[in-house]
Amino acid sequence: MHVEVDRMYAEERQQAMAHLISRRGRLSVVQLADQFEVTTETVRRDLSTLDRMGLVRRVHGGAVPAGSLTVIESGIGERDQSNTQAKEAIANAAVSLLPPPDSVVVIDAGSTTARFAAALPRDHRLIVITHAVPVATRLAGLPQIELHLLPGKVRPTTHAAVGAETVAALADLRADVAFIATNGLTVGHGLTTPDSDEAASKRAMIACARKTVVLADSTKLGVETAVRFATLDSLDVLVTDSDVEPADRRALESAGIEVVVA
C-alpha cells in the first residue's frame, strides 16, 4: 500500500512539474526541488521520466518545455559548464529589465544570454531579434515571441551569425533594449571580446537599441580581451552576480551605470 501511495504521489508531482515548466518556460533542478520540497536527485529522476514521455526536454541544470530546443543544446551545454549558478541567477534577474509587452529586444550570443532567452516569461509578448542560433532554438515556435534571425556567417565557436550582412541588417533596425554578453569589462577600457567580427555585431546591436543591458558574471569584471566593442558610456545597466567586488561595483556606479546584483 505504501509503495502504491508513493507511486501515485510521484505521478501527481511529475504532472504538476510538467505543467509548471510549460507555463514558466524553463526551471532549474534547484528551483523545482524547492518548489516541490524534494531532493535534487528526486527532481532529476522525475525530469528523466518526463523527458522520456516527451513532456519536457532535459537541459543542463534543469528542463524546458518539450519542443523548445533542438539538438544544438548538447553543444551549448558542453561550453556552459562554468559559473552555472551565477549565470542562472543573472538570467533570471535580467527578466525584470524587460520592456513592456510588444517591445523589440535584441539578444546577443553568449551562455548567459542564452539562459536569459530560456527564462523569458510565457505571458509577455516580445519581438526578439538575434544572431545567435542557441537563442533562436530556445525561442522558435513560442507563441509569445515574434522571432527575427539575423543573416550572416555562423561562427562554429559561438554559433552566432557575424559579418557585413549582420551589421548591415542591424543598422536598419531600432530596438527598445539590447541584452549583450561580453568576455571582459573594465572601467578603463570598456567591454571587450576576442574576435573582431563578434565585436562588430555587438557594436551594431548596441547602436540600434535605446537601452543596453549587459549580462556578465563577476569573473568577467577586470578582464580585457583583444577587441573593444563599447565604452562604458554605451552601457546603461550591468547585471552580475553576488561575487562582484565592492570596489568594482562602486567604480561602475560612479561611471553612471546601474548595477543589478542577482
Side-chain angles (χ1 to χ4, degrees), residues 179-195:
F179 292 91
I180 303 295
T182 186
N183 296 84
L185 191 164
T186 64
V187 173
H189 195 59
L191 287 76
T192 55
T193 191
D195 183 80

Side-chain angles (χ1 to χ4, degrees), residues 69-84:
L69 286 183
T70 68
V71 293
I72 197 170
E73 176 64 28
S74 61
I76 298 304
E78 290 169 5
R79 297 202 312 270
D80 190 23
Q81 298 297 314
S82 62
N83 304 313
T84 55

Side-chain angles (χ1 to χ4, degrees), residues 38-246:
V38 294
T39 66
T40 54
E41 290 77 11
T42 297
V43 170
R44 290 189 181 94
R45 286 196 298 269
D46 287 344
L47 293 180
S48 294
T49 299
L50 293 169
D51 186 271
R52 287 194 301 270
M53 296 169 66
L55 297 176
V56 305
R57 290 291 303 274
R58 289 294 309 273
V59 297
H60 182 73
V64 296
S68 64
L69 286 183
T70 68
V71 293
I72 197 170
E73 176 64 28
S74 61
I76 298 304
E78 290 169 5
R79 297 202 312 270
D80 190 23
Q81 298 297 314
S82 62
N83 304 313
T84 55
Q85 288 186 332
K87 291 174 181 179
E88 196 78 35
I90 291 166
N92 290 328
V95 169
S96 67
L97 300 171
L98 285 171
D102 297 310
S103 296
V104 180
V105 300
V106 177
I107 303 180
D108 186 19
S111 57
T112 308
T113 47
R115 287 171 180 267
F116 166 70
L120 292 179
R122 311 273 289 183
D123 58 353
H124 194 96
R125 289 180 53 82
L126 289 170
I127 299 167
V128 176
I129 300 164
T130 188
H131 69 147
V133 178
V135 170
T137 61
R138 287 160 167 81
L139 300 180
L142 295 182
Q144 83 279 19
I145 301 297
E146 180 183 315
L147 179 64
H148 296 257
L149 188 58
L150 292 164
K153 178 183 178 181
V154 176
R155 294 187 67 231
T157 51
T158 60
H159 294 172
V162 297
E165 283 184 287
T166 313
V167 172
L170 284 161
D172 292 331
L173 298 174
R174 191 63 168 152
D176 295 290
V177 184
F179 292 91
I180 303 295
T182 186
N183 296 84
L185 191 164
T186 64
V187 173
H189 195 59
L191 287 76
T192 55
T193 191
D195 183 80
S196 58
D197 286 334
E198 292 270 2
S201 294
K202 292 174 184 290
R203 200 174 293 122
M205 288 180 181
I206 292 171
C208 82
R210 295 182 175 88
K211 180 178 181 180
T212 299
V213 177
V214 171
L215 280 58
D217 66 77
S218 56
T219 65
K220 308 291 177 59
L221 306 185
V223 173
E224 292 181 359
T225 57
V227 186
R228 180 169 64 185
F229 62 88
T231 54
L232 290 190
D233 57 6
S234 302
L235 171 60
D236 297 294
V237 184
L238 167 68
V239 187
T240 190
D241 60 82
S242 57
D243 287 336
V244 59
E245 293 289 342

